[in-house]
């Protein structure tokens, strides 16, 4: 018997990450949530509270230079 659970971390603020042409965009997230609801699966996933990522966590998939560039750009 498989007892693993699928989790989803979602916060409406994620919809603000919506740059044209970028694969991580609001429409993609809206489609995923809508699909989960329509298929009765949203209630089957574990809701994971979102939080701000630590720099070391971001650096797992981005270079330190890129992280610094984005941080400076945003400031």
């Amino acid at each position: 018997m498989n007892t693993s659970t699928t989790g989803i971390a979602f916060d409406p603020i994620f919809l603000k990450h919506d740059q044209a042409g970028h694969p991580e965009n609001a429409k993609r997230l809206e489609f995923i949530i809508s699909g989960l609801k329509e298929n009765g699966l949203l209630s089957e996933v574990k809701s994971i509270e979102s939080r701000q990522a630590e720099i070391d966590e971001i650096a797992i998939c981005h270079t330190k230079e890129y992280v610094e560039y984005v941080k400076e750009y945003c400031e």
Side-chain angles (χ1 to χ4, degrees), residues 54-64 67:
E54 300 291 333
I55 297 296
D56 289 344
E57 294 169 323
I58 297 169
I60 291 171
C61 55
H62 295 291
T63 65
K64 295 270 188 185
V67 173

Side-chain angles (χ1 to χ4, degrees), residues 11-65:
D11 188 296
I13 198 168
F14 296 167
L15 298 172
K16 292 185 178 192
H17 184 68
D18 196 23
Q19 296 177 336
H22 195 284
E24 295 175 10
N25 59 61
K27 293 227 181 290
R28 177 176 173 258
L29 293 175
E30 290 168 348
F31 183 79
I32 291 167
I33 297 299
S34 175
L36 289 170
K37 285 179 183 176
E38 288 174 12
N39 291 289
L41 297 172
L42 191 58
S43 62
E44 299 296 318
V45 297
K46 179 179 177 167
S47 180
I48 301 169
E49 188 174 336
S50 65
R51 62 171 175 75
Q52 187 170 348
E54 300 291 333
I55 297 296
D56 289 344
E57 294 169 323
I58 297 169
I60 291 171
C61 55
H62 295 291
T63 65
K64 295 270 188 185
E65 293 81 16

